[in-house]
Amino acid sequence: MKITGLTLHPIAIADPPLRSSYGLHAPFALRTIVELKTDDGVTGISETYGGETQVNALEAARERVIGMDPFQLAGLYEALTNVKATGDRSQTYMVPGENPLDLPNRTFAAIEIACLDLIGKAVGKPVCDVIGGRVRDAVSFSAYLFYKHAGGGGFSGDAYGDEYGEILDPAACVRSCKQMIDFYGFKEIKLKGGVLDPDIEIESIKALRREFGPKVPLRIDPNCAWSVDTSVHVGESLAEELSDGGYLEDPCADLEGMGEVRKRLLAKGINTDFGSNVAVTSFPDVPKAKQLDAVQVVLSDPHYWGGMRQVQYLSHMCGVLGMGLSMHSNSHLGVSMMAMTHVAATCPNLTYACDTHYPWQTAKDEVIVGGRVKFVNGTVPIPDKPGLGVELDYDQVARGRERYDKIPYRKRDDEAEMRKHVDPNWKRVLPRW
Ligand code: GKR
Ligand code: MG
């Protein structure tokens, strides 16, 4: 089998005005759909980050990809990712998908996942079984709550309905969470923090605990907006709420900072686990995080860790080091949803409900045949179909492309969006509190 075609579909999908310590989400998020065709007529697909840099990097890989045997992924990994680069791989100062240092990994991942989809289709097996077999038939996801302004995304002429309304206080957090849980059946909750005063965010978590009780694990993730002292204050205030399967995610910048917070909390008898997808983004970070006791749960993500097999290696590494594994997400559609689900199904120690932004996207923009991926009691079951189990709806892809062509920006810039829509003088400062 040989790859004979690579088609890139840059698309834009409506995204509500979600807030995080990075700033504000733009009215449309950018994604790229990758499509590979083989000489025997099989097609494989994947979805990755969007915008010019990502599309150009995939375009640059074309020559290496066309003509290759899709089974020969180790050689492609070496060819695309073995580049000498030094610098900060973390997501401390750059939003996911915009750090040039993980661009090679993102690019490989997009090709790898499309290859695995087409291999699965060629041999008649789901991707999770192609990459070694599943340890579960359905993958749990969490209710991923955001503070947000009113609005459902899109531009004025093409404004989308606002499913969740404005969420800027603890009561609205609880209301939106109930709405999400009623619809999707999620059993764990994550709150994106780093937006309001930490004491208000503490109150949001306490209100969620009061509403949903101790059987629903809680996490809060301010994307390193807090100082070490503030992180200790939040850790102390939420000692009970973040226990029992919850965690405190990237409270402050750097592994050294998180290690210090952990030490100070342990000294007070508080054993809250720390998660990370900001400080821990590549393999060398993992033993360092262990050594500093800074992170107990690593958030994987096939999109920037270098694909599904790298996530499996990460799972193994975390297992060896006695660390837990969870999964990170950014704004995405159904193809990414299924890639995340397939790889999560193969990682035995991925015992936390994975993050997903999926509830924030809408059916109007979905690019898979049959519409949005269906959740069953907060899980996505592995479909009894070959490959990722989904096909592209080309009319929907074309609509996504039209939206992409209409919008003026080609990268994610939450700081600029914040200045445009909320505060003309806004700057991301770390720590903010
Ligand atoms: O979409 O604003 C966002 C999130 O904050 C995202 O960029 C993060 O990468 O979801 C993410 C996380 O840190 O867990
Ligand atoms: Mg995070």
Side-chain angles (χ1 to χ4, degrees):
M1 193 169 19
K2 292 259 175 291
I3 296 175
T4 51
L6 163 66
T7 310
L8 302 175
H9 303 280
I11 59 167
I13 60 177
D15 213 15
L18 305 181
R19 291 280 302 272
S20 76
S21 86
Y22 295 115
L24 174 73
H25 280 213
F28 288 101
L30 309 176
R31 302 294 285 168
T32 311
I33 304 293
V34 176
E35 203 183 353
L36 296 177
K37 284 201 189 332
T38 63
D39 51 357
D40 44 10
V42 187
T43 298
I45 57 174
S46 68
E47 174 185 343
T48 187
Y49 291 99
E52 221 151 60
T53 311
Q54 186 60 70
V55 171
N56 290 345
L58 283 158
E59 199 50 66
R62 178 182 296 280
E63 215 184 316
R64 181 70 181 67
V65 170
I66 299 294
M68 79 171 254
D69 172 351
F71 285 85
Q72 299 307 320
L73 289 165
L76 182 71
Y77 180 75
E78 189 60 15
L80 295 189
T81 68
N82 191 4
V83 279
K84 286 235 172 330
T86 48
D88 186 4
R89 263 289 288 272
S90 79
Q91 295 178 162
T92 310
Y93 301 102
M94 267 178 253
V95 281
E98 295 297 344
N99 191 330
L101 298 178
D102 60 28
L103 183 60
N105 269 5
R106 282 185 263 130
T107 303
F108 170 77
I111 303 291
E112 183 228 45
I113 294 167
C115 284
L116 293 171
D117 181 41
L118 72 80
I119 290 170
K121 284 172 178 155
V123 303
K125 291 273 184 200
V127 166
C128 58
D129 295 336
V130 170
I131 56 176
R134 64 188 90 178
V135 290
R136 52 186 75 85
D137 289 321
V139 171
S140 298
F141 288 86
S142 60
Y144 192 172
L145 311 179
F146 278 78
Y147 293 110
K148 71 180 274 291
H149 299 279
F155 285 134
S156 42
D158 187 15
Y160 285 53
D162 185 5
E163 213 181 328
Y164 293 96
E166 180 183 275
I167 306 169
L168 288 173
D169 59 31
C173 274
V174 172
R175 172 188 46 77
S176 60
C177 191
K178 273 196 200 151
Q179 200 180 329
M180 226 180 241
I181 287 183
D182 281 351
F183 191 82
Y184 294 94
F186 297 127
K187 308 266 185 299
E188 295 182 34
I189 299 169
K190 165 165 170 169
L191 173 63
K192 175 59 60 181
V195 174
L196 305 176
D197 185 280
D199 285 325
I200 302 179
E201 299 193 350
I202 289 170
E203 188 38 43
S204 292
I205 291 288
K206 287 189 182 287
L208 289 164
R209 171 51 52 97
R210 283 194 297 274
E211 181 67 33
F212 297 98
K215 289 212 178 105
V216 178
L218 298 169
R219 320 165 186 165
I220 181 164
D221 174 14
N223 289 110
C224 56
W226 302 331
S227 66
V228 167
D229 286 348
T230 303
S231 304
V232 172
H233 166 64
V234 176
E236 271 185 281
S237 310
L238 294 176
E240 194 203 311
E241 290 79 2
L242 300 181
S243 61
D244 300 329
Y247 48 83
L248 179 54
E249 192 174 319
D250 288 305
C252 58
D254 305 328
L255 291 174
E256 285 75 9
M258 288 173 73
E260 175 63 20
V261 178
R262 167 96 173 142
K263 200 163 76 193
R264 284 168 54 178
L265 287 177
L266 282 176
K268 292 171 193 278
I270 299 168
N271 194 2
T272 300
D273 282 339
F274 287 11
S276 180
N277 68 274
V278 169
V280 179
T281 60
S282 65
F283 285 95
D285 299 330
V286 184
K288 184 173 172 195
K290 175 72 186 179
Q291 195 192 349
L292 295 170
D293 194 23
V295 172
Q296 290 69 46
V297 183
V298 176
L299 278 83
S300 60
D301 183 332
H303 300 93
Y304 66 81
W305 272 87
M308 293 195 183
R309 292 191 325 133
Q310 297 298 316
V311 166
Q312 291 179 308
Y313 299 148
L314 176 63
S315 163
H316 183 65
M317 190 176 199
C318 288
V320 170
L321 294 173
M323 297 164 90
L325 188 72
S326 186
M327 191 177 282
H328 161 270
S329 146
N330 287 120
S331 313
H332 67 91
L333 293 177
V335 183
S336 278
M337 185 83 241
M338 293 318 300
M340 291 158 71
T341 301
H342 276 272
V343 68
T346 70
C347 298
N349 53 340
L350 209 167
T351 50
Y352 297 89
C354 301
D355 292 357
T356 177
H357 276 243
Y358 203 56
W360 300 104
Q361 266 60 66
T362 95
K364 192 173 159 193
D365 295 350
E366 184 52 89
V367 293
I368 58 179
V369 171
R372 277 168 69 80
V373 171
K374 313 241 171 343
F375 284 71
V376 181
N377 294 326
T379 73
V380 175
I382 298 292
D384 193 14
K385 289 184 186 161
L388 293 173
V390 289
E391 304 286 343
L392 287 182
D393 175 332
Y394 288 95
D395 290 340
Q396 284 293 88
V397 173
R399 282 186 200 113
R401 177 63 198 246
E402 277 165 26
R403 289 190 294 272
Y404 184 88
D405 289 338
K406 264 197 226 157
I407 61 175
Y409 50 91
R410 288 290 174 260
K411 69 192 282 276
R412 177 175 171 184
D413 187 346
D414 292 19
E415 228 177 303
E417 290 302 316
M418 211 37 205
R419 285 195 285 270
K420 238 185 275 168
H421 302 285
V422 181
D423 171 358
N425 299 315
W426 199 84
K427 259 207 196 106
R428 185 164 189 256
V429 284
L430 291 182
R432 184 168 296 279
W433 289 281

